[in-house]
Amino acid sequence: MHPETIAIHVGQACDQLTGAVAAPIHLSTTFERAEDGGFPSGFVYGRDGNPNRHSLEACLAALEGGVEAAAFASGMAAITAAIESLPTGLPRRLVLPDDMYFGIRALIDETDIGARFDWVAVDMTDLAAVKAACAEPTGLVWMETPSNPLIKIVDIEAVARIARAAGALVAVDNTWATPLLQRPFALGADIVVHSLTKYVGGHSDVMIGAVVLRENGPQLTLLRAIQNHKGAVPSPFDCWLALRGMQSLSARMRVHCANAELVAQFLAGHPAVAAVHYPALESHPGHAVAKRQMRSFGGMLAFEVHGGREEAMRFAAGLQLITRATSLGGTHTLIEHRASVEGPQTMAPEGLLRLSVGLEHPDDLIADLVAAFAACSVSRS
Ligand SMILES: *Cc1c(COP(=O)(O)O)cnc(C)c1O
């Protein structure tokens, strides 16, 4: 089956009892035992298993080409579990991207994860730097591509090769690419994590995440134990929403990507714009790698305006249709000044604005950008 078909059919057979085509939501926290004490359905208690979660996990695992997926209450809960499930025996040292999702940075700085794991941050596009970082005993090498906020593209295959040679496991945060645009397991990853809150949910109305593992083994056992006993599980309704989003993901991604390409081209030609970061542009340093490892270039882009922070804020304030809000992957186009969100540790230039290009008509998005640029130059003169 092709991914588009997997997204609609795997883990999603019609309801046997009623024939319902759209899955029912199973709110029950407990499941009846058979006379012999067994559980013929396989479900016992809502924390260790639920039909909606099971369906979502089966579908995501199939899409990524992994052995199993474990769903969590958010992307951050999934990331925490991916790190904590590092099998015993591997060094407690992480090699992370220097432009890692800022929630991971906070997880390390503000929780016990930072005390339990050593870590180093490197520019993952610099393979020599990755190699040098992996010269010390390393348990896990983490990638995020495309990355935040500069939309950098990391060569998954090349970094995975270096990590494996060093005896480390390889994790890829595939949130921005989605399972439809990028298949990390085929490029050498062992672990894929997702914030399904973003493109998979797709409508900015559900918080949920997942870890997918390529192989069965001690890490999967530990991951399931963390999911069940630490208990950061998503609700049945969250799972249902995420799986509903999965069904339309391929259609939505086509529009996100096409719209982003048009908006990037417009921005690249505008005199008020100092730089556009979008991997479809041949000027992007990751263009060739993105073309090789991604099916299409994604819906996220960033651009820098001349004049720094003040001008960037003024521009964003002048938008009428595009919404000033954090997050990404929903139907609405969102804009964000990352430097002010991330604070002093930010890698984002002060003049940088990040766009999650939504599903509106591209002409309306471009008209909104045109008007905001015009308002900026009026207010300046
Ligand atoms: C949003 C995001 C996360 C965190 O996910 P939540 O669902 O907000 O907890 C992790 N990684 C990336 C790349 C993200 O965009």
Side-chain angles (χ1 to χ4, degrees), residues 255-318:
V255 179
H256 283 297
C257 294
N259 281 358
E261 211 155 326
L262 290 170
V263 169
Q265 278 160 9
F266 161 76
L267 290 168
H270 199 283
V273 175
V276 181
H277 307 281
Y278 186 62
L281 301 175
E282 281 177 24
S283 58
H284 189 288
H287 176 71
V289 175
K291 212 167 157 176
R292 197 168 66 232
Q293 78 183 12
M294 297 177 76
R295 205 161 119 183
S296 161
F297 298 100
M300 294 300 295
L301 65 87
F303 63 103
E304 293 172 52
V305 296
H306 292 295
R309 183 191 190 97
E310 205 179 314
E311 197 68 4
M313 298 302 264
R314 202 200 327 255
F315 172 78

Side-chain angles (χ1 to χ4, degrees), residues 74-76 79 101 144 173 175-176 195 197-198 207-208 328:
S74 68
M76 283 312 302
I79 287 170
Y101 176 70
E144 225 183 283
D173 184 332
T175 299
W176 283 28
S195 169
T197 309
K198 313 295 170 52
M207 297 286 316
I208 184 166
L328 58 121

Side-chain angles (χ1 to χ4, degrees), residues 76 79-80 83-84 92-122 140 142 144 345:
M76 283 312 302
I79 287 170
T80 304
I83 294 172
E84 289 189 317
R92 311 276 101 186
R93 180 168 173 276
L94 319 172
V95 172
L96 303 171
D98 59 0
D99 56 350
M100 69 189 100
Y101 176 70
F102 83 118
I104 302 183
R105 189 63 196 248
L107 179 73
I108 289 170
D109 288 346
E110 298 171 30
T111 79
D112 63 330
I113 293 286
R116 289 162 55 204
F117 295 86
D118 287 332
W119 61 282
V120 62
V122 296
L140 183 64
W142 192 274
E144 225 183 283
Q345 287 174 331

Side-chain angles (χ1 to χ4, degrees), residues 46-362:
R47 178 154 38 71
D48 53 47
N50 161 279
N52 296 101
R53 195 168 95 210
H54 183 76
S55 296
L56 172 66
E57 290 176 343
C59 183
L60 181 61
L63 269 180
E64 287 288 5
V67 61
E68 277 187 35
F72 290 86
S74 68
M76 283 312 302
I79 287 170
T80 304
I83 294 172
E84 289 189 317
S85 63
L86 192 67
T88 47
L90 285 179
R92 311 276 101 186
R93 180 168 173 276
L94 319 172
V95 172
L96 303 171
D98 59 0
D99 56 350
M100 69 189 100
Y101 176 70
F102 83 118
I104 302 183
R105 189 63 196 248
L107 179 73
I108 289 170
D109 288 346
E110 298 171 30
T111 79
D112 63 330
I113 293 286
R116 289 162 55 204
F117 295 86
D118 287 332
W119 61 282
V120 62
V122 296
D123 177 358
M124 289 282 164
T125 63
D126 179 350
L127 296 178
V130 175
K131 214 170 200 160
C134 290
E136 277 182 58
T138 302
L140 183 64
V141 175
W142 192 274
M143 283 177 259
E144 225 183 283
T145 178
S147 79
N148 183 44
L150 288 173
I151 328 290
K152 284 203 281 191
I153 301 295
V154 177
D155 186 336
I156 297 174
E157 202 165 14
V159 171
R161 208 177 300 124
I162 294 168
R164 279 172 176 273
L169 291 178
V170 178
V172 175
D173 184 332
N174 210 23
T175 299
W176 283 28
T178 81
L180 292 176
L181 302 190
Q182 183 166 276
R183 313 272 320 279
F185 290 137
L187 301 168
D190 303 290
I191 304 158
V192 170
V193 302
H194 280 284
S195 169
L196 304 172
T197 309
K198 313 295 170 52
Y199 286 107
V200 172
H203 297 74
S204 307
D205 54 11
V206 57
M207 297 286 316
I208 184 166
V211 181
V212 195
L213 296 187
R214 190 168 51 116
E215 286 177 3
N216 212 330
Q219 186 170 24
L220 183 59
T221 308
L222 192 48
L223 182 68
R224 287 294 184 198
I226 291 168
Q227 183 189 36
N228 187 5
H229 308 314
K230 293 203 167 182
V233 292
S235 75
F237 186 44
D238 294 342
C239 296
W240 187 90
L241 280 173
L243 193 50
R244 184 172 80 151
M246 197 81 88
Q247 295 181 351
S248 60
L249 182 63
S250 75
R252 287 185 287 107
M253 286 317 290
R254 277 198 290 274
V255 179
H256 283 297
C257 294
N259 281 358
E261 211 155 326
L262 290 170
V263 169
Q265 278 160 9
F266 161 76
L267 290 168
H270 199 283
V273 175
V276 181
H277 307 281
Y278 186 62
L281 301 175
E282 281 177 24
S283 58
H284 189 288
H287 176 71
V289 175
K291 212 167 157 176
R292 197 168 66 232
Q293 78 183 12
M294 297 177 76
R295 205 161 119 183
S296 161
F297 298 100
M300 294 300 295
L301 65 87
F303 63 103
E304 293 172 52
V305 296
H306 292 295
R309 183 191 190 97
E310 205 179 314
E311 197 68 4
M313 298 302 264
R314 202 200 327 255
F315 172 78
L319 292 162
Q320 300 297 320
L321 184 68
I322 296 173
T323 308
R324 292 174 300 278
T326 194
S327 199
L328 58 121
T331 53
H332 295 53
T333 296
L334 304 181
I335 194 162
E336 187 170 46
H337 185 250
R338 286 303 296 178
S340 44
V341 173
E342 296 182 9
Q345 287 174 331
T346 188
M347 301 276 291
E350 287 291 345
L352 180 134
L353 291 160
R354 188 185 81 181
L355 271 181
S356 169
V357 181
L359 303 182
E360 300 93 339
H361 194 287

